[in-house]
Amino acid sequence: MVRHVAVFEPGGLTKRERRELRREVARTASDGAPPKASRRERALPEPAVRGAFGPGLTQGGYWNLARPRIPAHQATSRQIAGIYPFVADAGLGHRGPILGVDLNADALWHFSPWEAYADATDRGTFSTNLLVLGAYRAGKSATVKTLVTRSLAFGHQAVVPSDPKGEWVAVAEAVPGGVVIRIGGGSSARLNPLDRGPRRTDVDDEQHEKMVRQRRITTLVSLIEMALGSTRLTAVEHAAIHDALERSIRSTGDRPTLRAVYEQLGAIVEDSGTDFRLSDGAVQPCFVLRRFVEGDLSGLFEDESTVAFDADAPIVVVDTSELFARSELVAQLTQVCTTAWIQAVVSDRSARRTRYLIREEGWRDMTSLAALQMFQQWLKLSRHYGISNVIILHKMGDLDAVGDADSKERNLAYSIVGDIENKFIFRVNHQETAALRERLNIPATHAQDARRLRMGVFLAYVGQYAYAVDCFATSTPWEFELFATDSAVQLEHDVDGILTPLDLDALDHVWPEPPLSDIGIDGWLSPAWKEASNER
């Protein structure tokens, strides 16, 4: 604290009196000043020799009586990261199952779409859906299976509406209580895509009927438009389908099937009392549904369901691998039917179940405008139903199979995928870097990094933050063996665990004895080697 002294000198003082007054003022000011700190208090070492400079300047050293003033260190962020490496991201916390190791923080990385949605901080997200994208053998399927199986202990359920490769069958069979529903391949199981589904307790009767009717007509229109290719249904054809569906509901006691709708469409065509325009509009949908009743899709979806969805099973897989070998159209129609049947069951909010809905080859759910609209609505209602849709794609170019270039269908498909907030990006090919930047708004540096990721490592985008995660770093031998999807192309190195010795004679034919010129410097300087070099 600074102390100020004011002095008022009366007039008429002599020089002596004035000097005495000033001395008194100086003594008063010095008495109030704080005492001087000692060397120990000032953190200064004691000098070896008395005096201001200790041993003296002549001996090459002296005590500095003032604290050293070192300027602040200035460096770039790259240099600072090297000299101060103990800065790491906080991650998503410890809620949810462990999915891997955060390579930036060198810590375990936990992930749950429901926990991320419930997080009210800036690390939270506004959606429970997940987009998984990457090239072949990048580790996509194994990572999703790891997430699903480890989430079972947290009370979540997994549903695979269509397993085109049969990869999830082994997982369901390995999990206690898992259910596998096989379609095709001699199986007698049937799924009715027009099933009513369970009665919802959180809506009144009128709302429930509207939702059931909307789901049924959307499924019918999606199947017919998909079978017709790029042809769009007219207003008259829509009216004929609506009329046939209502007739089949009345004739079957509210248990309509594709067979019943097909028969009612035929009745509309043959009924002489029907408006001729409605009769003409029923012709094309009738021929399309004929494939399900009498054609290559018969015995699968045309009658009432012979299997039921087990709501208490930890994982339910619909095995459609036998059907996907027929044709691409059969695969798309099958996926729409099985997805519609599953959605009728899992859309019961009153069940209070959180479920993963795994959509393998997710682009097949978006092959027509009606299917796209149904898919978009299902993604928007995922939070309402407690569902996490996991859409798996190999590349953004998969969506080029949806509609024509610059069509409404293709633009809507890209918009749907781009709106998914949570993304797992695995290794991608060179031509995908531009699509990642343009379609998914991923930074250019991240897109370049995605080209160099090793198997099992992915870039996770959860909300506003990004993470580099290694899933396989936490995988157990049981998971490695169960989740392997390329065992059919692995080369056998031994037989029955017995090491097979090499056949040296056969090896000599493959790798003959090198010429003299390749052995040492003498061979390089030999005339034969020089002549051969001149000839080349």
Side-chain angles (χ1 to χ4, degrees):
M1 182 177 66
V2 179
R3 183 176 180 179
H4 300 279
V5 179
V7 180
F8 301 93
E9 296 182 358
L13 295 178
T14 63
K15 292 183 179 179
R16 184 176 181 180
E17 293 175 341
R18 190 176 290 109
R19 286 196 300 269
E20 292 293 337
L21 178 60
R22 292 176 180 175
R23 291 173 183 172
E24 183 66 24
V25 170
R27 285 194 299 269
T28 305
S30 62
D31 292 341
K36 294 183 179 181
S38 62
R39 284 182 174 273
R40 188 177 302 277
E41 292 174 350
R42 287 182 291 169
L44 294 175
E46 293 294 336
V49 180
R50 291 182 177 272
F53 300 102
L57 296 175
T58 58
Q59 298 183 13
Y62 60 91
W63 296 114
N64 188 357
L65 302 181
R67 290 182 178 275
R69 187 176 184 85
I70 302 176
H73 179 74
Q74 296 182 353
T76 63
S77 58
R78 181 184 295 273
Q79 295 167 335
I80 290 294
I83 65 174
Y84 190 63
F86 309 107
V87 177
D89 189 78
L92 291 175
H94 301 285
R95 294 178 298 178
I98 296 173
L99 189 56
V101 175
D102 189 346
L103 299 180
N104 291 328
D106 195 19
L108 294 177
W109 194 72
H110 300 248
F111 176 75
S112 171
W114 296 280
E115 294 292 347
Y117 177 73
D119 191 352
T121 66
D122 57 348
R123 293 188 177 272
T125 181
F126 299 113
S127 174
T128 57
N129 300 317
L130 175 64
L131 172 65
V132 180
L133 186 144
Y136 291 97
R137 297 198 67 206
K140 303 185 303 299
S141 297
T143 300
V144 175
K145 293 171 185 175
T146 301
L147 173 63
V148 168
T149 54
R150 294 180 180 179
S151 298
L152 299 179
F154 290 78
H156 307 308
Q157 188 184 32
V159 181
V160 184
S162 178
D163 185 12
K165 302 177 184 177
E167 298 177 357
W168 287 88
V169 174
V171 180
E173 292 176 345
V175 174
V179 176
V180 178
I181 301 174
R182 290 179 170 83
I183 302 296
S187 175
S188 60
R190 290 190 181 89
L191 301 180
N192 181 16
L194 303 181
D195 272 341
R196 167 177 286 272
R199 176 67 170 86
R200 294 180 54 181
T201 57
D202 57 342
V203 296
D204 54 29
D205 294 339
E206 183 179 359
Q207 292 176 338
H208 179 67
E209 292 299 326
K210 288 182 179 179
M211 294 177 63
V212 172
R213 187 181 301 110
Q214 181 65 29
R215 185 173 63 246
R216 285 171 170 172
I217 192 63
T218 303
T219 303
L220 271 176
V221 173
S222 299
L223 288 174
I224 295 173
E225 284 189 348
M226 189 177 299
L228 292 175
S230 59
T231 305
R232 298 284 301 277
L233 296 179
T234 63
V236 178
E237 291 171 340
H238 272 277
I241 295 173
H242 276 266
D243 193 5
L245 178 60
E246 293 297 329
R247 291 187 182 188
S248 63
I249 291 175
R250 293 193 297 267
S251 62
T252 60
D254 199 13
R255 303 176 69 178
T257 60
L258 295 182
R259 183 186 297 275
V261 175
Y262 165 72
E263 294 173 351
Q264 293 300 328
L265 286 172
I268 294 175
V269 174
E270 298 175 357
D271 190 359
S272 59
T274 306
D275 187 351
F276 73 94
R277 290 169 297 185
L278 189 64
S279 178
D280 293 340
V283 173
Q284 189 162 241
C286 183
F287 278 106
V288 172
L289 292 183
R290 185 177 179 179
R291 294 188 60 182
F292 292 88
V293 178
E294 302 175 359
D296 54 344
L297 290 176
S298 61
L300 302 174
F301 310 106
E302 73 274 18
D303 293 321
E304 295 186 17
S305 299
T306 59
V307 294
F309 182 87
D310 189 355
D312 297 326
I315 180 171
V316 179
V317 177
V318 181
D319 183 12
T320 57
S321 56
E322 295 292 337
L323 298 179
F324 276 66
R326 298 188 185 182
S327 66
E328 186 60 36
L329 179 59
V330 172
Q332 296 174 7
L333 295 174
T334 300
Q335 191 144 330
V336 170
C337 291
T338 55
T339 302
W341 181 75
I342 291 293
Q343 289 176 350
V345 178
V346 301
S347 60
D348 185 12
R349 187 184 183 188
S350 61
R352 298 187 179 277
R353 293 295 303 270
T354 50
R355 297 182 174 99
Y356 285 102
L357 206 59
I358 314 300
R359 298 180 180 271
E360 290 277 356
E361 307 290 346
W363 60 271
R364 287 199 175 99
D365 292 323
M366 301 178 283
T367 50
S368 67
L369 183 59
L372 281 165
Q373 294 171 347
M374 181 173 62
F375 190 80
Q376 185 180 36
Q377 182 183 11
W378 190 249
L379 291 178
K380 291 181 179 179
L381 294 176
S382 59
R383 297 170 295 174
H384 183 75
Y385 295 141
I387 292 173
S388 174
N389 292 278
V390 181
I391 295 90
I392 303 177
L393 299 175
H394 294 292
K395 58 183 182 298
M396 293 299 295
D398 291 344
L399 301 180
D400 291 341
V402 180
D404 299 327
D406 297 328
S407 63
K408 182 179 180 180
E409 291 84 354
R410 185 173 299 183
N411 292 333
L412 181 58
Y414 277 116
S415 175
I416 291 174
V417 173
D419 289 341
I420 300 178
E421 191 174 12
N422 304 318
K423 305 177 184 66
F424 288 176
I425 307 299
F426 290 78
R427 186 186 71 250
V428 297
N429 298 326
H430 173 72
Q431 58 270 21
E432 278 296 295
T433 55
L436 292 179
R437 296 195 304 268
E438 297 173 3
R439 300 294 184 179
L440 299 182
N441 197 25
I442 290 179
T445 55
H446 291 195
Q448 294 295 331
D449 292 340
R451 294 178 50 197
R452 298 184 291 269
L453 296 177
R454 65 178 184 273
M455 182 182 296
V457 179
F458 59 93
L459 302 178
Y461 297 89
V462 182
Q464 303 177 9
Y465 290 81
Y467 313 87
V469 183
D470 184 359
C471 175
F472 291 177
T474 61
S475 297
T476 63
W478 179 82
E479 291 173 325
F480 265 119
E481 183 178 355
L482 182 62
F483 301 158
T485 58
D486 55 356
S487 58
V489 297
Q490 295 292 335
L491 298 178
E492 294 292 340
H493 295 287
D494 56 0
V495 179
D496 297 331
I498 301 175
L499 184 62
T500 304
L502 293 176
D503 187 354
L504 299 181
D505 294 335
L507 184 61
D508 290 338
H509 292 287
V510 178
W511 192 355
E513 187 73 19
L516 181 62
S517 59
D518 292 342
I519 297 178
I521 190 171
D522 295 336
W524 300 343
L525 300 178
S526 62
W529 184 85
K530 293 180 181 180
E531 295 175 359
S533 301
N534 294 332
E535 292 177 359
R536 288 196 297 265

